[in-house]
Amino acid sequence: LDETEAWMKDRANARQSLEQDPLFGSYKGSNVLMVQMESLQTFMIGKSIGGKEITPVLNDLIEESAYFSRFYHQTSQGRTSDADFAVNCSLQPMKSGSVFIQYASHDFACLPETLKDNGYSATVFHPYQGGFWNRNVMYDRMEYDEFYSLKHFELDERLGWALGDKSFYRQSMDIVAELPQPFHAFMISLTSHHPYKLPAAQKLLNVEELDGTIMGDYLQVVHYADAALGELVERLKAEGLWENTILAVYGDHDNSIQQWELYERFMEDTSNPVQREQLVKSVPFLLHLPDGAHAGRYNDVGGQLDVTPTLLHLLGISGGKPYWLGSPLLTESESGKRTVTQRNGAWTDGELYFVPSPDGIPANGTCYSAISGEQLDTNVCLPFSGEADTELMMSDRIVIGDLLRSFEEDEAVEAMGGER
Ligand code: GP9
């Protein structure tokens, strides 16, 4: 406990040292709308097929947002629930299973709870059965005021697994428009879920030779999901919320399509193993700030664990507590080198990319240049692999051992001038 708390406090102090930044608190009191888009990856952002942009809405939104072009999902077997946990609670998911299912009774300091402590309402929307990924229980633990699941929506647009994104956003916005402000609203989309099937009338792209392949279907459904996001943005504007809401949009995880020949359409060559690794792990993350300020491409690496610290920083809520692993991505202060650690022990600092071997022995892993893809001597990466493993170990101790409960007790004792 002491060792883990001390290690987490070092992380917290590093975050707190960034709070001298003029950006800290510059969006204090803004609403937060977070959209987690199902299976949305980075590789086709900005690309066209058959003469049409695949994601025209995202492409335009990126131009007026802070866009993190080297952003990675950090999920494992818990897929969508892992993305939710990593983003909102800024801790690593489990190596196997899902924190939402295995550790829903444990204490975490997730975004909804933290924002509620700062005067926000907190609401989550997802148009599927509330028991899936144990969301009913976990969202209660995360202290959302309300969870709107499938049973709360009118099934007036049947697509994919359940309700189409367009209707989902429209019905969710009917509720958001009435929420007490400032609000934190979290929408988890579903239509672009595997197996990516859409009725013919909804397939608006000409995917040329990809027609009839799973990649062709994926692009069609991403095009639909993108259009739905466009309707959500228009509705935010129509409700007068665009100017006082931070919109955060990110992809939850990869699309599980591992047929590399289907990617050749977008990438000149996918034979390089680290290029494949980066393709699978890269998801978009954009932050649209109320005044459209700080728009541009941010090329430092970042990951899902950094989303909550980034939002807290902008809202002026201190990240100086030892509850989170990530660090703010959008800061004018010098943040030093950032490393994104994957659950399987892979990591990148933007220059190096380390892929562990299945036996988990660091010396058997493979070290690459993250820029050129060239394979390097493993010894170049080895000195840093210990840090990634330590992060995973500390996170596991917290999640499995329910240590945040003890951290909070220690803080309460210290605040009263006592010794723990
Ligand atoms: C269903 C949806 C699916 O509620 O979140 O999640 P996934 O299968 O992608 O983990």
Side-chain angles (χ1 to χ4, degrees):
L1 173 65
D2 287 347
E3 186 184 76
T4 310
E5 192 168 8
W7 191 90
M8 290 297 283
K9 278 188 173 163
D10 281 347
R11 283 258 165 138
N13 291 339
R15 272 192 305 270
Q16 199 165 25
S17 70
L18 300 175
E19 293 172 6
Q20 306 306 322
D21 176 19
L23 261 182
F24 180 76
S26 48
Y27 294 90
K28 195 174 177 59
S30 296
N31 300 313
V32 176
L33 172 57
M34 214 157 73
V35 183
Q36 175 170 302
M37 290 181 72
E38 174 66 38
S39 304
L40 186 75
Q41 288 191 236
T42 305
F43 71 89
M44 73 289 158
I45 300 289
K47 302 274 182 8
S48 295
I49 194 162
K52 264 192 184 174
E53 287 177 272
I54 298 162
T55 57
V57 170
L58 278 162
N59 299 346
D60 286 351
L61 203 50
I62 283 169
E63 291 307 316
E64 50 182 90
S65 304
Y67 178 63
F68 301 91
S69 59
R70 298 174 78 196
F71 185 81
Y72 296 95
H73 76 81
Q74 293 174 283
T75 68
S76 184
Q77 291 179 348
R79 302 290 280 165
T80 296
S81 70
D82 281 354
D84 193 331
F85 182 69
V87 164
N88 283 296
C89 310
S90 192
L91 291 171
Q92 291 279 355
M94 289 287 97
K95 192 169 189 173
S96 62
S98 160
V99 178
F100 269 36
I101 290 174
Q102 292 166 282
Y103 299 106
S105 64
H106 288 189
D107 239 21
F108 307 108
C110 306
L111 188 62
E113 174 184 343
T114 309
L115 292 185
K116 281 184 66 181
D117 287 347
N118 286 274
Y120 280 68
S121 62
T123 313
V124 53
F125 305 85
H126 179 59
Y128 202 60
Q129 277 127 21
F132 202 92
W133 286 127
N134 201 26
R135 285 185 173 102
N136 282 333
V137 176
M138 189 63 180
Y139 288 160
D140 196 44
R141 289 294 298 172
M142 290 165 85
E143 300 193 18
Y144 284 104
D145 297 314
E146 291 293 340
F147 169 29
Y148 291 91
S149 65
L150 183 60
K151 67 180 182 193
H152 298 93
F153 291 91
E154 188 187 337
L155 247 183
D156 56 2
E157 186 196 14
R158 279 184 178 271
L159 275 186
W161 278 29
L163 181 66
D165 290 348
K166 290 185 179 178
S167 176
F168 167 59
Y169 292 143
R170 181 174 41 74
Q171 294 185 56
S172 301
M173 277 306 300
D174 291 344
I175 296 158
V176 170
E178 304 298 323
L179 287 176
Q181 296 191 31
F183 62 71
H184 168 45
F186 180 35
M187 298 182 188
I188 304 158
S189 82
L190 184 60
T191 306
S192 44
H193 196 286
H194 190 275
Y196 315 122
K197 294 289 182 202
L198 278 182
Q202 298 277 10
K203 294 182 178 179
L204 303 183
L205 290 176
N206 169 11
V207 293
E208 302 177 329
E209 73 264 33
L210 290 175
D211 197 27
T213 68
I214 189 165
M215 182 63 82
D217 289 346
Y218 174 69
L219 298 182
Q220 297 283 11
V221 85
V222 164
H223 188 65
Y224 165 86
D226 177 79
L229 183 71
E231 292 187 7
L232 174 64
V233 169
E234 289 313 311
R235 178 73 185 275
L236 280 168
K237 290 178 180 169
E239 294 290 347
L241 292 168
W242 191 239
E243 295 307 328
N244 61 353
T245 299
I246 297 175
L247 174 67
V249 180
Y250 62 91
D252 60 355
H253 51 65
D254 61 275
N255 60 19
S256 352
I257 304 172
Q258 305 239 334
Q259 300 167 48
W260 299 110
E261 68 282 4
L262 297 177
Y263 289 95
E264 302 275 326
R265 163 107 223 164
F266 305 98
M267 326 285 293
E268 279 170 19
D269 174 17
T270 58
S271 60
N272 182 320
V274 77
Q275 187 186 22
R276 286 184 179 179
E277 180 76 17
Q278 286 176 309
L279 185 149
V280 168
K281 299 289 186 197
S282 295
V283 293
F285 173 44
L286 68 85
L287 269 180
H288 185 275
L289 298 174
D291 48 13
H294 305 286
R297 284 178 192 244
Y298 293 79
N299 297 321
D300 282 351
V301 292
Q304 288 173 330
L305 269 66
D306 299 317
V307 173
T308 279
T310 303
L311 290 167
L312 296 182
H313 188 84
L314 292 168
L315 299 172
I317 299 168
S318 178
K321 302 254 187 208
Y323 304 155
W324 309 288
L325 281 170
S327 57
L329 292 177
L330 194 63
T331 160
E332 289 173 6
S333 306
E334 186 47 63
S335 60
K337 213 171 198 189
R338 178 190 309 282
T339 301
V340 179
T341 302
Q342 300 287 345
R343 179 64 257 192
N344 64 353
W347 57 264
T348 181
D349 60 3
E351 287 174 16
L352 300 173
Y353 202 112
F354 178 76
V355 181
S357 69
D359 64 15
I361 298 170
N364 294 341
T366 319
C367 183
Y368 298 94
S369 158
I371 314 288
S372 68
E374 180 197 355
Q375 187 172 334
L376 307 171
D377 189 321
T378 307
N379 288 323
V380 177
C381 282
L382 273 188
F384 311 105
S385 279
E387 286 169 36
D389 292 341
T390 303
E391 175 177 321
L392 292 166
M393 179 183 72
M394 294 297 174
S395 189
D396 283 352
R397 284 183 184 175
I398 290 170
V399 173
I400 297 167
D402 200 8
L403 296 193
L404 289 196
R405 206 182 290 269
S406 307
F407 293 4
E408 280 168 11
E409 282 163 13
D410 287 350
E411 275 174 40
V413 172
E414 279 169 21
M416 287 177 354
E419 283 196 20
R420 61 187 186 86

